[in-house]
Amino acid sequence: MLTAALVAAIGLLPWLSRTDPALTVLKARSADRDPAPGTLRAIRDQLGLDDGPWALLGRWLGGLPRGDAGTSWVSGTQVLPDVVHSLGASLLLMAGALVVAAGTAAAVCARTLRLGARGRLGARGPGGTATAVLAALPEFLVASVLASVIGVQLGWLPALGWYGPQWMVLPSLALGLPAGAVLGRLLDDLLPGAFAEPWAVAAAARGVPPNSVARQAVRRCVPGLLPNLGLFVVGLTGGSVAVEQIFDIPGLGRLTLQAALAQDLPVLQTGTLALVLLAAAAGFLARLAVRLLVGPALRDGALHSPHRPGPPAPRTLPLLYGALLAAVIGFGLPRDALALDTLARLQAPSLAHPFGTDALGRDVLARVSHGALTTLGIALAVSAAALVAGLLLGLLPRLSGPLVDTVSAVPPVLAGLLVAGIAGSGPWTPAFAVGVVAWAPLAAHTSSLLRQERATTHLAATRALGAGRWYLLRHELLPAVLPPVTRHALLRLPGVALSLAALGFLGLGAQPPSPEWGLLLAENQPYAERAPWAVLFPAAVLALLGALAVTAAGGVRLPRRTRPGRPAGPPGKRAEPAPERRQSRPDALLVPVSTSPTEER
């Protein structure tokens, strides 16, 4: 039903956007051709536009069982072979990006694995700044730098085309490095709880090799990440539009974007259907892998909670990054972000222009500072709304599961086009488009953690003592799920800003002369070789936002709570459920009150 609703909405896109599909198709076929009334009438008759959207949708659906997805309105070729070819290229690129992401995640977690396997996690200091910077870099910016430096200037690898394994390296790096940094941070957040479980302590006491302990700790934490890994697979396949544009890769994301801009409905509907099917397959495989890894423990309620209270994280780094970001914004706000000076085009950084100037002579620092007010404000609002929606829907996995599988298949670019077609273009259109898809990873994370938390021993014991459903939700489940999901939402704050920036980069967000960060990067990217400061300084501020979000996320912890001991009740009286579980042994069974002197002894 959700897939049918999505495909129907795409079929109504030209009519929702109140544009003439015949004129759009004519411009896509030949931009210089005169849109005469007779020419537009011939296109309408050829495509059957006068029959209405529902007749067109019915004809497209009727051909699918026969393997016929229609012909492209622009090129006139068969749609299905083009979509299959593009899907193969995207899957190949996704495989390379996953290899890079796995290596990046392993590098991020290497220190925690080494210390945890040897029982020395207490010596681990604050870190994650480099990871935050890597996770905050836009994919299109990484792709542009790799293509211009490694591909063009150094000539080590090809920068354009899709002809063999050598052409996979640079785009795989551009997609895999930021994704691996985010996955590595999520895994690094779960590992300390796994190393503190009784099996890890016993293994260390028995002299089990640290490598074996580390492998089992990773195996223990991977099920909590598999749903998000499935979302990454779909996101890398359909959401890598900017990277495919830069490297000239004939992938499914690029094909879908071109079809959406040209309103080529057969290609757009078929590409979206392929993404939805891919999302459903990825979600099914992720759930199957979770059952294979921890299925018996989930069924028997024999897990230990990896989310336990911890000491407060150091506050020095977030305060330092926050003060630095505030200083940059405050120093640039008094400057005019729209003032033009054609005699000062592409000037290097100086006292008059600390961040240099752009191609129109505007001060880059002023534009970065003024754009921060819009970009950060919208990103914070979208992240907060996504956190609330992700938590609420994640608590209802039977409802949110199909929603996540469907929504995750929609690239933010396509969501932006649909929102713009329904609500019209405006400053909040990118925010609505990103918000439509931003809650899905948080809901998947919430459902995964909730499933494992329900199978813990302390929850079974608390339930056996008479605790009700609302008590378990308020005092056991939410305190265990809320901190890691909130940290996840903070980790994705730069990603939300990146999605807004990507829409601006592709021309679907703010329009000139707005200083929005995505538009700013898009305007200056052609001059990256001649004036690198026009791109590097905005990217550095964006990376500073990522460092602030990651270090601030480390401070979201379940506080240590203690409860005074209570004497056991009289024999025969039912014991009241404990309001909080003991923090010294969070996964030990609660002992029920004895009913006889013999049992008490």
Side-chain angles (χ1 to χ4, degrees), residues 109-191:
C109 302
R111 186 164 172 261
T112 301
L113 286 171
R114 184 178 66 255
L115 295 177
R118 290 167 173 80
R120 296 187 300 172
L121 274 180
R124 186 181 65 158
T129 303
T131 307
V133 172
L134 186 60
L137 290 178
E139 287 89 350
F140 59 84
L141 180 60
V142 177
S144 300
V145 172
L146 292 176
S148 60
V149 175
I150 298 179
V152 177
Q153 294 182 0
L154 299 178
W156 292 348
L157 291 168
L160 293 176
W162 188 255
Y163 305 106
Q166 293 181 347
W167 282 262
M168 285 182 54
V169 177
L170 293 182
S172 298
L173 288 173
L175 288 173
L177 288 176
V182 175
L183 285 175
R185 291 296 305 182
L186 294 177
L187 181 59
D188 193 71
D189 185 50
L190 292 173
L191 283 173

Side-chain angles (χ1 to χ4, degrees), residues 16-324:
L16 292 174
S17 59
R18 294 172 293 278
T19 59
D20 187 0
L23 178 61
T24 307
V25 171
L26 176 64
K27 292 297 182 183
R29 290 178 177 177
S30 176
D32 300 331
R33 191 172 179 181
D34 183 27
T39 304
L40 296 179
R41 170 58 58 187
I43 293 178
R44 291 192 187 96
D45 294 340
Q46 177 189 2
L47 303 180
L49 296 177
D50 292 337
D51 296 337
W54 299 113
L56 294 174
L57 182 61
R59 286 199 294 267
W60 177 77
L61 290 175
L64 287 181
R66 305 189 305 270
D68 180 15
T71 59
S72 171
W73 288 0
V74 176
S75 64
T77 59
Q78 290 293 320
V79 171
L80 196 58
D82 292 341
V83 171
V84 171
H85 180 267
S86 300
L87 179 61
S90 293
L91 290 178
L92 193 59
L93 176 60
M94 177 265 294
L98 284 180
V99 172
V100 175
T104 306
V108 170
C109 302
R111 186 164 172 261
T112 301
L113 286 171
R114 184 178 66 255
L115 295 177
R118 290 167 173 80
R120 296 187 300 172
L121 274 180
R124 186 181 65 158
T129 303
T131 307
V133 172
L134 186 60
L137 290 178
E139 287 89 350
F140 59 84
L141 180 60
V142 177
S144 300
V145 172
L146 292 176
S148 60
V149 175
I150 298 179
V152 177
Q153 294 182 0
L154 299 178
W156 292 348
L157 291 168
L160 293 176
W162 188 255
Y163 305 106
Q166 293 181 347
W167 282 262
M168 285 182 54
V169 177
L170 293 182
S172 298
L173 288 173
L175 288 173
L177 288 176
V182 175
L183 285 175
R185 291 296 305 182
L186 294 177
L187 181 59
D188 193 71
D189 185 50
L190 292 173
L191 283 173
F195 282 122
E197 291 184 353
W199 67 265
V201 177
R206 292 295 299 269
V208 176
N211 292 338
S212 299
V213 178
R215 284 196 301 270
Q216 293 302 321
V218 172
R219 184 182 184 275
R220 171 69 179 88
C221 297
V222 162
L225 297 179
L226 283 175
N228 278 282
L229 183 61
L231 296 183
F232 269 111
V233 169
V234 181
L236 291 175
T237 305
S240 56
V241 181
V243 175
E244 292 177 357
Q245 290 275 67
I246 291 172
F247 289 102
D248 194 22
I249 299 174
L252 187 58
R254 182 185 178 191
L255 179 69
T256 306
L257 173 64
Q258 293 175 348
L261 295 177
Q263 294 187 354
D264 192 350
L265 294 188
V267 177
L268 182 59
Q269 290 169 333
T270 308
T272 305
L273 182 61
L275 288 174
V276 171
L277 295 177
L278 178 63
F284 172 77
L285 292 177
R287 287 187 288 269
L288 180 62
V290 170
R291 290 189 175 274
L292 292 176
L293 288 174
V294 292
L298 285 174
R299 183 183 64 249
D300 300 334
L303 289 177
H304 296 279
S305 176
H307 305 286
R308 58 191 66 215
R315 300 179 181 178
T316 307
L317 285 179
L319 291 177
L320 176 62
Y321 295 141
L324 186 57

Side-chain angles (χ1 to χ4, degrees), residues 438-500:
W439 62 270
L442 301 177
H445 196 191
T446 301
S447 298
S448 177
L449 296 179
L450 189 68
R451 187 183 304 111
Q452 296 193 49
E453 196 68 26
R454 282 174 173 170
T456 54
T457 53
H458 72 82
L459 196 72
T462 307
R463 188 185 295 111
L465 290 175
R469 227 178 245 184
W470 289 108
Y471 178 89
L472 293 174
L473 180 64
R474 291 195 311 269
H475 295 277
E476 300 292 339
L477 295 177
L478 281 181
V481 172
L482 185 58
V485 177
T486 304
R487 293 195 294 271
H488 187 184
L490 284 174
L491 289 176
R492 287 191 173 271
L493 175 61
V496 172
L498 291 182
S499 298
L500 297 171

